[in-house]
Amino acid sequence: MFPSTSKGVMNQGLVENPEIMATSHMGFNLQASHLPPLTFSPYSLSKTCTVGGEDDVSRLRGNLPSLPPDQGDDGSGRLGQSPTQRSSSDLWSRTGDRAASDKGSSVAAGEYYSNNKNGPAANNIIIDGLSVGAMRMKKVKVRRKVREPRFCFKTMSEVDVLDDGYKWRKYGQKVVKNTQHPRSYYRCTQENCRVKKRIERMAEDPRMVITTYEGRHVHSPSHAEEESQPSSEVTLFW
DNA sequence: CGATTTTGACCAGCGC
DNA sequence: GCGCTGGTCAAAATCG
């Protein structure tokens, strides 16, 4: 349903091979000198990286997308990992919102988990996936609030804010529970563009930066014309 | 001086 | 209802 010539490896929510090419009307360009050339398939990304609410849970349970990636406003075209894709022995870290209690009562839609089974490595980008199995294990309590499509990924970086080609304005910073590092909230400065992102460092490994995007850009990257070296970018689509 | 960042206050969702 | 927490607002401060 989505044009993609993915050559990458999606494994339990990770993109391990950067050689994924795809086309889409929406995308991110991450430019960072410390990163390898990366272009993520929109299909792969949406398939493993986002979940936004009750509808998504239903979709995930059916393992079928209900919407193509370019339709809808709440997680279009998102697919879920099979519950069996999440191994209990894998190291997962919660990176998403607080739909579930911090007191460990349940796992709910809207949470994001990452699995870095290869361990942190330089120039390694990890796409975060979602545990559907965990949702099945317990009764899911879901926020009714409509969510924008989201995905998050981790990068090993000394700088918090990666240059993704868009212009961002910081609108908040918060110290979240059980973490030493504050979480920063950014909004796209483009008028009528409601895309947000938040950036935080992993508690377990402060070298890893977790970037979570929410929403879709309605415009091109601000310095798209300046792209002279596609091989030095990371492009994320969904 | 406009754009951006900082930061405390406020709000909403959730569990008890 | 209350307390806790994450997310957002907005005034003040800072930057270029």
Side-chain angles (χ1 to χ4, degrees):
Chain A
M1 76 176 184
F2 217 97
S4 169
T5 57
S6 171
K7 292 181 283 186
V9 179
M10 287 300 286
N11 182 19
Q12 300 197 7
L14 307 185
V15 171
E16 297 174 337
N17 189 325
E19 298 179 90
I20 304 171
M21 298 301 294
T23 58
S24 170
H25 68 292
M26 264 305 303
F28 284 108
N29 295 313
L30 283 184
Q31 285 193 307
S33 58
H34 61 288
L35 296 173
L38 274 173
T39 303
F40 293 112
S41 155
Y43 186 80
S44 297
L45 259 183
S46 62
K47 182 177 180 178
T48 59
C49 299
T50 66
V51 63
E54 200 162 20
D55 291 344
D56 292 318
V57 175
S58 301
R59 277 177 241 155
L60 295 173
R61 284 176 172 160
N63 265 336
L64 287 171
S66 62
L67 294 168
D70 56 350
Q71 293 180 19
D73 191 37
D74 62 337
S76 318
R78 281 168 279 170
L79 287 166
Q81 285 181 268
S82 160
T84 57
Q85 283 181 279
R86 180 179 176 185
S87 162
S88 60
S89 62
D90 290 333
L91 182 63
W92 290 81
S93 61
R94 178 177 169 180
T95 63
D97 64 47
R98 59 179 196 94
S101 163
D102 287 322
K103 290 157 190 169
S105 61
S106 65
V107 177
E111 288 186 4
Y112 293 73
Y113 289 83
S114 61
N115 170 8
N116 184 3
K117 71 173 188 178
N118 293 329
N123 294 337
N124 186 26
I125 280 197
I126 301 120
I127 299 296
D128 286 12
L130 165 80
S131 165
V132 180
M135 294 181 186
R136 284 179 168 172
M137 297 295 286
K138 295 183 177 183
K139 196 170 185 177
V140 176
K141 209 163 193 176
V142 183
R143 271 191 185 182
R144 302 290 171 183
K145 192 178 176 181
V146 176
R147 295 181 188 281
E148 297 288 335
R150 303 195 299 181
F151 71 89
C152 59
F153 59 89
K154 292 186 287 188
T155 59
M156 178 173 282
S157 172
E158 291 183 9
V159 296
D160 290 343
V161 184
L162 303 175
D163 181 4
D164 54 11
Y166 294 90
K167 208 174 172 188
W168 302 91
R169 167 182 286 191
K170 189 175 186 176
Y171 67 89
Q173 179 169 303
K174 193 86 173 180
V175 176
V176 297
K177 201 180 175 187
N178 298 324
T179 61
Q180 315 93 299
H181 302 91
R183 175 183 295 168
S184 298
Y185 300 88
Y186 295 86
R187 217 188 323 256
C188 185
T189 59
Q190 189 75 23
E191 204 171 356
N192 298 327
C193 184
R194 295 166 55 212
V195 177
K196 287 176 271 188
K197 72 174 178 181
R198 44 176 195 254
I199 296 172
E200 61 189 310
R201 289 197 173 269
M202 278 185 71
E204 297 88 346
D205 186 356
R207 296 171 301 176
M208 303 297 291
V209 177
I210 301 169
T211 305
T212 304
Y213 287 94
E214 179 173 338
R216 294 160 171 251
H217 288 286
V218 297
H219 58 97
S220 301
S222 57
H223 61 226
E225 302 83 13
E226 302 169 18
E227 293 173 6
S228 56
Q229 294 181 343
S231 63
S232 64
E233 303 176 356
V234 177
T235 302
L236 305 175
F237 296 91
W238 85 90

